[in-house]
Amino acid sequence: MSKDNYNNLAREILQAVGGINNISSVTHCMTRLRFTLKDSSIPKDDEVKKIEGVLGVVRAGGQYQIIIGQTVPKVYETLLKLGNGKIAGSAPIDENLDANAQKEKMTFKRGFNIVLNKVAGSLTPTIPILITAAMFKMLAAICGPTMLNITPTSSDLYKLFTLVGDAGFYFFPVFLGYTSAKQFKTSPMLGMLMGAILLDPNLVKIVTAGKPFTVYGIPMGLTNYGNTLIPILLSVWIMSYVERFFKKYVPTSLSTVFVPTLTIAVMIPITLCVLGPLGGFLGDYICNGLLAFGKLGGVWSILAIAIIGAVWEILVISGMHLVIISTMTLLFAQGGHDNFATLGAVAASMACAGMALGAALRIKGKKNKTLVWGYFISNIIGGVTEPSLYGLALRYKRPFLGMMIGGFAGALYAGITHVTAYVMVPVANFLALTAYVGGSTANIVNGIISGVIALIVAAVATYIIGFGKEEEIN
């Protein structure tokens, strides 16, 4: 948005709220201008919403709140300039510490939303990294032997595209260490260090070796943290309290050296022995439960396949899917096929692309549409689901439900028609449907239909469910 656009937007808002004389004070949070008005009956909500650049209006806590999006600081500054010193401004509000919000009763729904907002707040700044990495991985997929076969896997160009794409996702815990530290009000540099510790080559060697390892004598779970999300978020959250404790009790003259050192010293066993492996522990129970459910046969097996299709991406995000991956590998190794877990995983991949498609058709704003269409293309062609998952599902929340509905529907059809996968495909794009090649023609057709169902149902469900007025922001 140009300077003139900010001026026009601020001027129209100022006029809509009754002018300078009707404003007692104004401040802003991450996405909203928050006015305290002398006469709150003057602004007409429907007219304010029609102003180009305004995404919504909320009346809460005695404030008149106008939703602008992430450009709100610039609109706020422009508004104050237009007031020529006659508008009383105040420090930006931290929505998580807002006094009005603190008065609200803590419910499961509110607590759940707070968690998702923290996750979304940590993920949103990483979207440029996700998009860039996804584009390079998509180029590698398109130019590689599985599609156009322009660049063989041995070529320097293919290796370059691959390493740039992989770097963006493998080192994701480091990026999240920084962004989540800003969310939890702790040191971004220590957050990055925690992410780097999880990815250190020496730790990777210890995990790969599979031999017992202890941290201060405490047994450490052998977990690979590349591409993970939950471990670093949990670690930085706990670290924010640990660092705060040491800042309070370590003398100022010694704080520069001892606060970061003691913080990391305490966090190492907490992260490597408890928080890091937590996803693995939960995954063992959840995945083994699904596998046991599937072994019941008949309707129960079909239902288990559908549930895997619905929750697969959740398991992947949290790193809980490894047990099912191991089972899939074993089935292919022993019998050369799988008529259970792969069906759900493939449907989930198609549903993820469908979610991006539905969101692209529904979401407001030219910039947002362009971004989400990029998510869809990188998913359906490049097989990269992370931009859709992190940039849509976790950021806006509601699309996650659309994706789960699509994954459930596609996997349910695959289970009902007794589809069998003959290839353990390593990609999550449309080529994942080649998993069903190797059997009868009916098997291939039904496998493709299951993928199409997952994509279309997820797109339609996401489009219908939408984002919520306050969530369709830049």
Side-chain angles (χ1 to χ4, degrees):
M1 188 180 288
S2 66
K3 184 176 180 180
D4 289 339
N5 288 333
Y6 288 127
N7 283 329
N8 292 335
L9 176 56
R11 190 173 289 108
E12 288 187 57
I13 290 174
L14 184 60
Q15 182 179 354
V17 298
I20 296 173
N21 295 329
N22 193 41
I23 300 174
S24 295
S25 65
V26 63
T27 184
H28 72 89
C29 55
M30 287 182 64
T31 60
R32 309 177 188 185
L33 288 172
R34 297 185 176 219
F35 292 92
T36 301
L37 302 176
K38 296 174 183 177
D39 185 354
S40 60
S41 67
I42 291 178
K44 306 303 179 186
D45 293 358
D46 291 338
E47 294 180 8
V48 175
K49 290 177 183 177
K50 291 178 182 178
I51 298 174
E52 185 176 355
V54 171
L55 300 171
V57 171
V58 176
R59 294 176 183 262
Q63 293 180 329
Y64 190 76
Q65 303 175 9
I66 299 178
I67 305 169
I68 303 296
Q70 292 182 342
T71 58
V72 69
K74 293 184 178 179
V75 179
Y76 172 76
E77 291 172 5
T78 305
L79 189 70
L80 293 183
K81 289 179 181 177
L82 291 175
N84 293 319
K86 296 180 181 179
I87 298 177
S90 58
I93 293 173
D94 183 341
E95 290 172 288
N96 298 307
L97 300 176
D98 186 5
N100 294 319
Q102 287 183 337
K103 294 177 183 178
E104 295 180 28
K105 182 180 179 181
M106 178 58 72
T107 61
F108 175 80
K109 180 180 179 181
R110 182 166 179 263
F112 184 67
N113 284 334
I114 289 174
V115 172
L116 287 183
N117 287 336
K118 286 292 186 183
V119 173
S122 300
L123 290 171
T124 300
T126 67
I127 287 176
I129 297 173
L130 295 173
I131 287 294
T132 303
M135 289 299 106
F136 274 93
K137 286 181 76 71
M138 185 175 73
L139 285 172
I142 293 174
C143 299
T146 57
M147 294 185 70
L148 299 181
N149 199 23
I150 298 174
T151 55
T153 54
S154 59
S155 69
D156 290 348
L157 189 60
Y158 181 87
K159 291 178 181 177
L160 178 65
F161 288 163
T162 301
L163 73 88
V164 173
D166 287 345
F169 296 112
Y170 179 78
F171 292 104
F172 202 60
V174 177
F175 310 138
L176 271 185
Y178 179 85
T179 58
S180 61
K182 293 179 77 68
Q183 280 290 309
F184 294 115
K185 312 298 181 189
T186 188
S187 167
M189 295 300 106
L190 291 186
M192 292 177 71
L193 177 57
M194 285 305 308
I197 290 170
L198 295 178
L199 301 175
D200 185 82
N202 292 309
L203 180 62
V204 174
K205 289 178 182 178
I206 292 169
V207 173
T208 304
K211 297 180 180 179
F213 186 81
T214 62
V215 180
Y216 306 156
I218 305 170
M220 183 190 80
L222 300 177
T223 306
N224 191 331
Y225 298 104
N227 307 293
T228 57
L229 173 75
I230 303 300
I232 187 63
L233 287 176
L234 290 174
S235 297
V236 173
W237 173 47
I238 299 298
M239 188 182 77
S240 66
Y241 293 99
V242 174
E243 185 189 39
R244 208 169 297 149
F245 171 84
F246 286 121
K247 279 184 175 180
K248 183 177 181 180
Y249 291 103
V250 173
T252 305
S253 59
L254 302 175
S255 62
T256 302
V257 174
F258 287 101
V259 168
T261 302
L262 292 173
T263 299
I264 294 299
V266 170
M267 286 307 303
I268 289 173
I270 293 175
T271 297
L272 297 181
C273 302
V274 181
L275 300 179
L278 184 61
F281 296 146
L282 293 175
D284 287 346
Y285 287 107
I286 294 172
C287 294
N288 284 326
L290 285 171
L291 294 174
F293 197 37
K295 289 178 182 178
L296 295 175
V299 175
W300 300 112
S301 180
I302 294 173
L303 186 58
I305 293 170
I307 292 174
I308 289 175
V311 304
W312 178 256
E313 297 297 351
I314 298 176
L315 297 175
V316 171
I317 288 174
S318 58
M320 297 180 184
H321 64 307
L322 298 178
V323 173
I324 293 182
I325 288 285
S326 299
T327 301
M328 289 164 60
T329 304
L330 185 62
L331 289 172
F332 280 110
Q334 291 180 341
H337 65 273
D338 172 26
N339 56 4
F340 182 62
T342 303
L343 280 57
V346 172
S349 298
M350 294 298 101
C352 190
M355 172 188 65
L357 176 60
L361 295 172
R362 172 68 185 255
I363 200 166
K364 294 179 180 178
K366 185 177 179 180
K367 180 180 177 182
N368 277 337
K369 280 188 177 293
T370 302
L371 193 63
V372 179
W373 276 116
Y375 296 166
F376 172 69
I377 293 170
S378 67
N379 192 160
I380 198 68
I381 296 178
V384 186
T385 59
E386 283 86 351
S388 296
L389 290 173
Y390 301 155
L392 275 176
L394 289 175
R395 182 183 182 187
Y396 294 110
K397 307 178 190 69
R398 290 189 183 187
F400 218 130
L401 183 57
M403 179 181 64
M404 292 178 69
I405 292 171
F408 184 92
L412 181 64
Y413 179 85
I416 291 173
T417 54
H418 303 291
V419 171
T420 299
Y422 293 92
V423 182
M424 188 173 178
V425 290
V427 293
N429 59 7
F430 70 94
L431 293 176
L433 298 175
T434 59
Y436 304 121
V437 175
S440 64
T441 302
N443 186 75
I444 299 172
V445 171
N446 283 324
I448 292 174
I449 290 174
S450 72
V452 172
I453 288 174
L455 189 146
I456 293 176
V457 171
V460 172
T462 302
Y463 185 87
I464 293 173
I465 294 170
F467 303 87
K469 291 181 180 179
E470 294 181 31
E471 293 175 312
E472 294 185 31
I473 58 179
N474 292 318

